[in-house]
Amino acid sequence: MYTVVIGVIGADVHAVGNKIIDHVLKEHGFNVVNIGVLSSQEDFINAAIETDAKAILVSSLYGHGELDCKYMKENMVEAGLSHVKLYVGGNIVVGKQDFTEVEERFKKMGFDRVYPPGTNIEHAVGDIKEDLADA
Amino acid sequence: MMIMNKKLSKEEFFKKREEIRSHWPTGADERLEFEKAVALLKSVPDSKNFAKKLRFAKEHDLTMIQPRAGVALVDQHIELMQFLEKHGKADFLPSTIDSYTRQNRYSHAEDAIKQSLKQKRSMLNGFPAVNHGIDGCHKVFENVNVPLQARHGTPDARLLSEIIHASGWTSNEGGGISYNIPYAKNISLEDTIRYWQYCDRLVGLYAEEGIELNREPFGPLTGTLVPPSISHTIAIIEAILAAEQGVKNITVGYGQCGNITQDVAALQTLDSLTNYYLKIFGYDDVFVTTVMHQWMGGFPSDEAEAMSLISLGATVATLGNATKIITKSPHESQGIPTKEANAEGLRASKLMTRMLKTQRYPSDDVLKAEKEMIEKEVKTLLYATLNIGKGDFAQGVIQAFKHGILDIPFAPSEMNHGKILPARDLRGNIRILEFGNLPFDDEIKRFHKDALEARGKAEGRPVSFKMTIDDIYAVSQGILVGNSEYKEPSL
Ligand code: B12
């Protein structure tokens, strides 16, 4: 059973997707540590350290994702979490933008996988299991 | 001091005001001196006064339209506002405030303004009105021809409210419950009710100077399967709290549910019940209007489908006689819309309000029954809140949320019980599956249970949380009642 940290980053209060991700990942047997909305990078990192998590799933719906996720990977490495997988999903930038470009920007920032708006979390479960099995 | 639903004294207000003006440098602007702000607001023409235009709309039985919109920089924001006025035919303009400002993180907003200048695109999801101060906000006011309103989601909007009104913006959205429970994690209701009493008192003080401003509690709450009786009860309580502080022009809101009859029943009762309870509790001279928000949950990503949903929203709002509609855009599921997409949502809505101008939803037994149920539930929730507050609505709200007598589905706030679960019945009406501690009697509970059991039977599955999840996704997938186990019959 893998431990994963989930939450919504920054000043974002979109709670519905977070509650559903929590429910679905538990159904799939994950040990889910949900830090909820309005969570900072440090909140994610501390939770991952405390629970020895294998992955962090960042949600960002409200558009400030690019600002809120800046240097997150660097901060994780500094905290000794370079082995922890880092995912992001939701409506992670402001406005309707070409997703391949957005994906590239976030991959450059160190995210392992980047999901477009409206991704059904069921579809991401397979990716996560695969990545963690390899790790 | 324990918070009560009681008008703040002038001394209390002006003492607090000094402190609030020191929260950010723009608060020191001398145009925030009360007499100066009064003079400016007195010079606002009726055509740019939100409260007066709403009176006009109601008198002439019109349904008016307003978008959501806001970007980081003043000049771009003005360009956006002018575009929506001209090409979207917006009757009212908003300025949607960014999320850093909403959490009072003004220095974050300052950084983002700099980033936006550098990157030449808005890095914020709204207009940072506090950082731009009266300089920026008044410039926006001067460059549009219709009334302006701040739309946000700010638990502590005291400085923001001061700045926007002193800049000539004649309406403010929000309230101590509706801008806390859906928008915060661990701010107490005691605090947010206090903050919003301040914002309402400010409007009340302007009223004493003969200036009518509009206030609008945020009706849709989490926008996710909220039963009408719950959002109505909260709207009515916020109207009462505002009226106590001297607010005279209030717009109560409701987020479209999707079943046309339930939506019309909700709009009609929102108007009648708010007027009724304001009078019952001693506020005789408040002018009430209603606003319907087009579908507030997850949208379909296909733009044609999104536009169709937008038109349905405009249709029910007009048939249900709402005074105003908050419109959505075909970009809703993806991100903050371009000004073009935003204007398209407006124009599609405007067409419906014009075509249906003389039509109203016919009254029949189904509509009547739906209205009676909403009335009964609201009465139950309202008096349970008043009772647990020992006759005081401010205390009542705090206690009611603590005990789950008021409970909002899917809210992020820890002040909320989060024990109730909604789900749709066969016709798409929003019903309640888990009641938590809602103080409903057996007759009400039976009504909801029967409706959901009928759905379960028709779908051949037990009534459960699975239905709720399916319903959350449904509209974005182009249906109203969700069923993940359903296979479309094929010829
Ligand atoms: C409901 C809603 C609200 C409600 C939220 C209630 C609450 N507290 O939860 C209310 C009305 C309060 C609200 C407020 C605001 N909202 Co809003 N909201 C929505 C809306 C309509 C639906 C969101 C939703 O609940 N969907 C249902 C859930 C189940 O889906 P989901 O959230 O997308 O999550 C799923 C997937 O994305 C995925 N997923 C999510 N995260 C991750 C992470 C990983 C790793 C993976 C694999 C998958 C994954 O899995 C989830 C479950 O399947 C969306 C637009 C839309 N989608 O149609 C806008 C939207 C997200 N909101 C938006 C904005 C901007 C705001 C506001 C700032 C107001 C404004 N300026 O208009 C405020 C936010 C205040 C704040 N501080 O955060 C914008 C964001 C714009 C952008 N990114 O460019 C959107 C896109 C609307 C728009 N087009 O403008 N909102």
Side-chain angles (χ1 to χ4, degrees):
Chain A
M1 194 175 20
Y2 302 115
T3 298
V4 296
V5 174
I6 69 169
V8 189
I9 200 164
D12 194 338
V13 299
H14 289 90
V16 184
N18 172 259
K19 288 184 202 284
I20 292 189
I21 293 174
D22 187 319
H23 178 82
V24 171
L25 290 184
K26 276 180 187 149
E27 249 181 15
H28 281 275
F30 287 93
N31 177 27
V32 180
V33 180
N34 187 357
I35 60 173
V37 301
L38 289 169
S39 294
S40 64
Q41 287 190 14
E42 298 86 83
D43 294 337
F44 279 97
I45 290 171
N46 291 340
I49 294 173
E50 277 163 29
T51 61
D52 192 22
K54 297 286 173 267
I56 293 177
L57 279 70
V58 177
S59 290
S60 176
L61 283 303
Y62 72 153
H64 295 182
E66 223 171 323
L67 296 170
D68 297 332
C69 292
K70 227 173 164 178
Y71 306 125
M72 177 141 187
K73 182 71 189 180
E74 287 82 348
N75 292 333
M76 281 171 65
V77 172
E78 200 169 300
L81 296 181
S82 44
H83 60 287
V84 172
K85 294 278 172 200
L86 183 58
Y87 307 99
V88 64
N91 300 68
I92 58 181
V93 291
V94 174
K96 187 170 181 168
Q97 300 184 25
D98 175 23
F99 186 71
T100 29
E101 270 173 41
V102 173
E103 186 176 16
E104 216 171 285
R105 287 214 288 278
F106 276 80
K107 285 215 159 140
K108 263 196 200 135
M109 285 159 69
F111 284 81
D112 294 290
R113 287 184 194 265
V114 187
Y115 293 89
T119 303
N120 188 330
I121 185 67
E122 293 278 358
H123 301 158
V125 167
D127 296 342
I128 302 169
K129 282 188 175 159
E130 201 183 293
D131 290 355
L132 296 187
D134 291 346
Chain B
M1 210 174 48
M2 202 161 90
I3 188 148
M4 304 286 271
N5 178 32
K6 210 169 151 274
K7 194 182 231 172
L8 301 181
S9 72
K10 278 193 181 172
E11 300 76 69
E12 264 176 281
F13 178 87
F14 282 105
K15 207 174 123 206
K16 200 79 226 153
R17 198 163 188 265
E18 284 318 299
E19 179 212 312
I20 283 154
R21 287 183 59 188
S22 73
H23 286 177
W24 189 252
T26 50
D29 194 316
E30 59 172 37
R31 286 167 291 182
L32 271 177
E33 276 157 31
F34 193 66
E35 297 70 32
K36 293 208 170 85
V38 165
L40 178 104
L41 280 167
K42 282 201 167 153
S43 73
V44 173
D46 286 0
S47 59
K48 286 173 80 169
N49 181 305
F50 221 98
K52 296 209 168 124
K53 194 161 180 179
L54 283 166
R55 280 185 186 271
F56 173 85
K58 187 140 183 180
E59 260 160 40
H60 293 83
D61 218 13
L62 299 172
T63 299
M64 294 196 160
I65 56 170
Q66 181 183 17
R68 291 190 177 82
V71 289
L73 305 174
V74 177
D75 290 340
Q76 277 83 333
H77 187 67
I78 290 172
E79 197 186 310
L80 173 61
M81 293 293 114
Q82 290 176 338
F83 190 91
L84 297 174
E85 186 186 323
K86 186 156 178 241
H87 301 285
K89 305 188 174 90
D91 298 300
F92 296 102
L93 284 170
S95 287
T96 300
I97 308 301
D98 73 284
S99 294
Y100 290 148
T101 302
R102 293 170 184 220
Q103 304 289 335
N104 310 104
R105 300 181 187 173
Y106 308 126
S107 55
H108 281 62
E110 201 66 35
D111 290 344
I113 291 170
K114 289 194 189 113
Q115 286 270 349
S116 302
L117 274 167
K118 214 163 82 192
Q119 306 229 13
K120 295 194 171 52
R121 61 189 165 100
S122 178
M123 298 293 284
L124 286 175
N125 59 12
F127 181 73
V130 170
N131 293 63
H132 291 314
I134 296 187
D135 279 338
C137 293
H138 188 248
K139 192 169 171 195
V140 176
F141 169 77
E142 280 192 308
N143 281 286
V144 299
N145 301 300
V146 300
L148 271 170
Q149 177 189 44
R151 304 190 63 87
H152 38 126
T154 312
D156 179 3
R158 292 172 297 178
L159 181 56
L160 173 67
S161 306
E162 289 281 5
I163 288 173
I164 58 134
H165 291 319
S167 302
W169 301 15
T170 42
S171 179
N172 192 12
E173 193 197 42
I177 308 164
S178 63
Y179 271 10
N180 178 338
I181 307 296
Y183 285 102
K185 191 168 174 177
N186 47 26
I187 304 180
S188 75
L189 280 159
E190 171 113 31
D191 284 345
T192 50
I193 291 172
R194 212 184 284 283
Y195 300 152
W196 279 92
Q197 281 183 332
Y198 179 98
C199 301
D200 286 331
R201 189 73 189 103
L202 176 64
V203 172
L205 284 168
Y206 285 129
E208 289 172 22
E209 302 293 326
I211 296 160
E212 190 177 2
L213 302 180
N214 171 255
R215 278 273 298 112
E216 180 182 329
F218 177 61
L221 304 171
T222 51
T224 308
L225 304 175
V226 181
S229 61
I230 292 183
S231 52
H232 279 25
T233 303
I234 288 164
I236 292 166
I237 294 173
E238 288 191 346
I240 289 171
L241 296 176
E244 172 64 26
Q245 302 302 324
V247 177
K248 303 291 181 201
N249 189 300
I250 296 175
T251 305
V252 276
Y254 166 74
Q256 178 189 6
C257 280
N259 173 291
I260 297 176
T261 312
Q262 186 174 42
D263 283 333
V264 171
L267 285 169
Q268 292 182 354
T269 51
L270 182 60
D271 185 64
S272 60
L273 293 175
T274 307
N275 275 300
Y276 174 78
Y277 285 113
L278 277 168
K279 292 203 175 70
I280 289 269
F281 292 107
Y283 308 102
D284 296 323
D285 56 349
V286 180
F287 182 75
V288 175
T289 45
T290 56
V291 53
M292 199 204 79
H293 298 243
Q294 292 176 347
W295 177 246
M296 286 296 284
F299 248 66
S301 59
D302 181 86
E303 293 191 18
E305 289 179 10
M307 201 58 110
S308 176
L309 180 56
I310 286 168
S311 304
L312 175 66
T315 303
V316 289
T318 311
L319 294 179
N321 215 1
T323 320
K324 188 177 82 173
I325 305 174
I326 300 293
T327 61
K328 290 249 168 160
S329 89
H331 285 182
E332 176 64 18
S333 79
Q334 301 297 308
I336 307 266
T338 57
K339 56 184 188 303
E340 290 81 10
N342 209 338
E344 282 170 20
L346 279 163
R347 287 205 306 279
S349 303
K350 187 74 153 204
L351 179 92
M352 279 304 146
T353 63
R354 285 197 176 142
M355 282 183 62
L356 302 174
K357 192 173 169 222
T358 55
Q359 300 181 43
R360 291 294 172 262
Y361 195 78
S363 181
D364 65 8
D365 288 348
V366 186
L367 180 69
K368 253 170 78 196
E370 203 59 45
K371 284 171 72 173
E372 275 168 25
M373 194 43 75
I374 294 174
E375 283 162 2
K376 204 166 169 209
E377 291 177 8
V378 168
K379 187 175 180 186
T380 306
L381 295 174
L382 208 57
Y383 282 100
T385 304
L386 194 61
N387 284 341
I388 200 165
K390 302 201 169 66
D392 183 89
F393 272 116
Q395 275 303 313
V397 166
I398 294 165
Q399 297 304 323
F401 272 96
K402 195 161 147 194
H403 294 96
I405 288 170
L406 292 175
D407 197 345
I408 299 174
F410 313 107
S413 172
E414 287 161 8
M415 310 303 139
N416 189 55
H417 248 224
K419 293 280 175 359
I420 72 162
L421 281 181
R424 293 187 188 276
D425 68 13
L426 263 180
R427 309 238 171 271
N429 294 296
I430 294 178
R431 305 294 183 214
I432 302 170
L433 191 157
E434 289 290 345
F435 290 91
N437 285 346
L438 296 183
F440 288 151
D441 63 21
D442 289 345
E443 190 200 325
I444 296 176
K445 287 187 176 166
R446 172 90 349 241
F447 170 82
H448 287 266
K449 277 205 181 100
D450 286 349
L452 291 174
E453 266 158 25
R455 171 180 171 184
K457 209 166 150 210
E459 292 181 352
R461 59 172 175 167
V463 174
S464 80
F465 181 52
K466 195 91 192 74
M467 284 179 177
T468 309
I469 295 196
D470 289 350
D471 289 346
I472 289 174
Y473 285 120
V475 174
S476 68
Q477 297 164 342
I479 47 172
L480 185 59
V481 186
N483 187 351
S484 49
E485 289 151 37
Y486 180 72
K487 298 246 171 341
E488 190 105 21
S490 57
L491 198 62

